[in-house]
Amino acid sequence: MKIVVIGGGAAGMMFSTQYKKANPDDEVFLFEKSSYVAWAGCPTPYFIADELKKSDVLHGTPEDFIKRGVNVKIHHKVTGIDFQNKTLNVEGEEINGIFGYDKLVIAVGAKSFIPNISGYSKNLTNVFTLSHAEEAFKIKDYITENKDKLKKAVVVGAGFIGLETAEAFNKKGLNVTIVEKAGEILPSFSEKLKAGVYKEIENRGISLKLNAGVTEIVSQDGKASAVKLDNGEIIDFDIALFSIGITPNIDFIPKNLKTDQGKIVVNDKFETNLPDVYAIGDCIFNKFYKTDRNLYAPFGDVANKHGMMLAKYLSGKNISWKGLLRSFATSFYDIKLAQTGLTLKEALDLGFNADVVEMHAMYKNSGFEDSIPGKVEVVYDKDKKVLLGGSMVGAQAVAQFIDQIAIVTTLETPIEKFIEIDFAYSPTNASVWNPLLVVYRKVIK
């Protein structure tokens, strides 16, 4: 059997290594157009801020995986696919031309989305995107090479990567402006929960401009100097990041592969609509857990799960990918945010008889000087008495609290059973009242 994988990111490398381990007699070829494999996108803003090393972004070299039996070919770009004849068009130094496969795994990831903005060009020396490790290295190198000249930075887009990179630029001593076309940041969080984030942005000396779309990039001789907003305002900069969003990198794939809104459609076995063609990672639509609702979740942990699950399936295991609750976490300086499942608005729009429990969560006894309560909102079904989702903002243990909510939501654990869970407690490590116990007290009366 010859398995061919397109893309050497988290999904592609996890699949390749796990499949080869289970099927040592099969050939596994992996084509990656860049210089790197096994790279992680989520740590890149912290690498730019000098808080993580390059080795924290790259989790292995091509040679590491070649030693494990995977035929890794970097600098090899797949430019076309003939699904009927099971062949690829490959452009590379070692393999250049037609290359056949028995089974194909598409793990091409996603690229930054740039709308039609006047003056934008990939060749501008000081305007960057950040959807690949290579781009992080270019940003870091540019800052290092021009550290005495850089004073002002503009970040277009206030999503996870935008906020995290704005923090990185700020820590590098730059005067940062965030430009966001929408009227708010982090739209899935309630205004109560994210009020502290707005305050922290202000406290850090970062300018945030909402309801502000970029219409033009002003440049001369290949170097940009300013962005013009739709209200006519001009913001000067020395370096800019466009972090508006990402879209699957599937432009080269023939149209007979089924897609929806630019994402590849797969079933619970990661099978596409074409025989012997599979897709995993940031290029596919997931399902919202146990539903038929499409959910785009371009997260590193999800990509790794995809790779592992598909390797099991193609090795003869009976697996079923049931989808996701959209669990995620991020931070801005010392403020940590995490969320899972449905928001209250989403739950009501879907017809649930839903309500929300609001509370403060303590990480330790409130008497300690560094004990700062987190704010929590838990959404539940009033009829079935089960959780539907939750959000939290705080200084510590935020993702861990949300993970607990994700577990009981996934398992549909009745709220009345929460009192039976034996949570750990000590004054220095946890509160007497775990947030799930607070939900129990407020819902089960």
Side-chain angles (χ1 to χ4, degrees):
M1 181 84 71
K2 182 195 288 187
I3 308 290
V4 173
V5 182
I6 310 175
M13 295 314 304
M14 177 58 70
F15 167 79
S16 299
T17 54
Q18 294 300 305
Y19 182 85
K20 184 64 179 178
K21 182 178 180 181
N23 305 274
D25 294 333
D26 287 355
E27 291 184 293
V28 179
F29 283 84
L30 184 141
F31 295 119
E32 167 57 45
K33 63 182 179 181
S34 76
S35 303
Y36 307 104
V37 295
W39 57 273
C42 297
T44 53
Y46 307 100
F47 166 75
I48 293 170
D50 294 325
E51 295 176 324
L52 292 176
K53 303 184 295 296
K54 194 171 186 177
S55 59
D56 296 313
V57 176
L58 297 176
H59 296 157
T61 67
E63 291 73 25
D64 292 335
F65 296 99
I66 290 171
K67 290 177 181 177
R68 297 164 71 176
V70 180
N71 296 302
V72 176
K73 308 295 180 185
I74 59 172
H75 303 139
H76 280 69
K77 183 178 181 180
V78 176
T79 59
I81 306 173
D82 183 340
F83 292 119
Q84 184 173 355
N85 293 306
K86 291 189 172 184
T87 60
L88 309 176
N89 295 325
V90 182
E91 294 180 358
E93 298 175 358
E94 184 178 343
I95 297 173
N96 193 61
I98 303 299
F99 192 84
Y101 65 84
D102 294 314
K103 292 185 183 295
L104 177 66
V105 177
I106 300 172
V108 291
K111 60 184 177 181
S112 296
F113 168 73
I114 301 295
N116 186 19
I117 297 175
S118 175
Y120 174 78
S121 169
K122 292 182 179 179
N123 297 322
L124 292 171
T125 58
N126 60 335
V127 176
F128 299 93
T129 56
L130 186 53
S131 61
H132 194 285
E134 278 193 328
E135 295 166 325
F137 302 149
K138 289 177 182 178
I139 294 171
K140 184 76 169 283
D141 289 345
Y142 188 83
I143 292 174
T144 301
E145 294 165 4
N146 298 276
K147 60 182 179 180
D148 296 330
K149 303 175 185 177
L150 301 182
K151 306 296 181 184
K152 300 178 180 179
V154 165
V155 175
V156 181
F160 300 153
I161 294 295
L163 287 175
E164 292 164 3
T165 307
E167 177 185 332
F169 286 161
N170 192 243
K171 288 177 176 176
K172 300 293 287 185
L174 300 178
N175 186 352
V176 181
T177 299
I178 302 172
V179 177
E180 171 57 52
K181 188 173 184 178
E184 61 179 338
I185 63 172
L186 305 169
S188 62
F189 285 88
S190 72
E191 290 299 322
K192 290 181 181 179
L193 289 186
K194 64 189 175 189
V197 183
Y198 286 115
K199 189 65 176 176
E200 186 71 0
I201 291 173
E202 180 182 351
N203 291 342
R204 296 293 178 173
I206 296 173
S207 175
L208 173 62
K209 296 183 180 294
L210 301 175
N211 297 305
V214 175
T215 60
E216 183 180 350
I217 299 177
V218 181
S219 65
Q220 185 175 4
D221 298 327
K223 185 176 182 179
S225 59
V227 289
K228 181 181 285 189
L229 306 185
D230 48 17
N231 64 1
E233 184 178 1
I234 296 177
I235 303 175
D236 298 332
F237 66 82
D238 301 304
I239 184 172
L241 174 76
F242 276 72
S243 184
I244 298 173
I246 60 174
T247 184
N249 192 22
I250 59 174
D251 297 345
F252 70 99
I253 297 178
K255 301 301 181 185
N256 54 332
L257 184 72
K258 185 179 179 180
T259 61
D260 184 2
Q261 301 174 54
K263 287 87 174 172
I264 299 173
V265 175
V266 298
N267 63 13
D268 65 339
K269 313 295 185 188
F270 302 101
E271 296 167 326
T272 69
N273 63 306
L274 300 174
D276 296 322
V277 179
Y278 308 83
I280 52 177
D282 294 357
C283 61
I284 75 167
F285 255 143
N286 290 270
K287 295 295 182 183
F288 201 94
Y289 190 68
K290 294 183 179 179
T291 75
D292 290 328
R293 294 174 57 216
N294 282 332
L295 173 66
Y296 188 48
F299 305 132
D301 60 326
V302 174
N304 275 289
K305 288 179 184 177
H306 287 178
M308 179 175 290
M309 295 287 279
L310 179 58
K312 289 179 181 295
Y313 177 60
L314 293 186
S315 300
K317 305 292 185 181
N318 183 23
I319 63 99
S320 177
W321 178 247
K322 299 185 185 304
L324 301 162
L325 286 176
R326 194 185 54 192
S327 301
F328 64 85
T330 186
S331 62
F332 184 78
Y333 278 93
D334 295 331
I335 298 179
K336 303 181 187 302
L337 308 96
Q339 189 173 79
T340 189
L342 299 173
T343 65
L344 178 60
K345 182 181 184 305
E346 288 172 330
L348 294 173
D349 289 345
L350 289 169
F352 288 98
N353 182 19
D355 203 352
V356 63
V357 173
E358 299 179 358
M359 73 186 85
H360 286 91
M362 303 303 300
Y363 317 103
K364 58 174 63 176
N365 187 291
S366 59
F368 289 104
E369 290 184 3
D370 62 346
S371 179
I372 303 172
K375 297 179 181 179
V376 185
E377 293 179 356
V378 178
V379 181
Y380 71 99
D381 185 325
K382 295 166 66 176
D383 297 326
K384 294 184 177 180
K385 297 293 194 301
V386 294
L387 298 195
L388 300 173
S391 307
M392 185 171 179
V393 177
Q396 299 177 43
V398 172
Q400 289 75 16
F401 278 143
I402 289 299
D403 283 346
Q404 293 179 8
I405 294 172
I407 291 170
V408 297
T409 301
T410 299
L411 299 178
E412 297 181 321
T413 306
I415 295 174
E416 64 183 15
K417 299 283 287 183
F418 292 177
I419 194 67
E420 300 176 18
I421 301 174
D422 187 15
F423 296 103
Y425 163 67
S426 82
T428 57
N429 291 287
S431 168
V432 169
W433 292 108
N434 181 283
L436 292 181
L437 293 179
V438 177
V439 173
Y440 170 85
R441 293 179 66 184
K442 292 193 174 188
V443 174
I444 306 299
K445 301 176 181 178

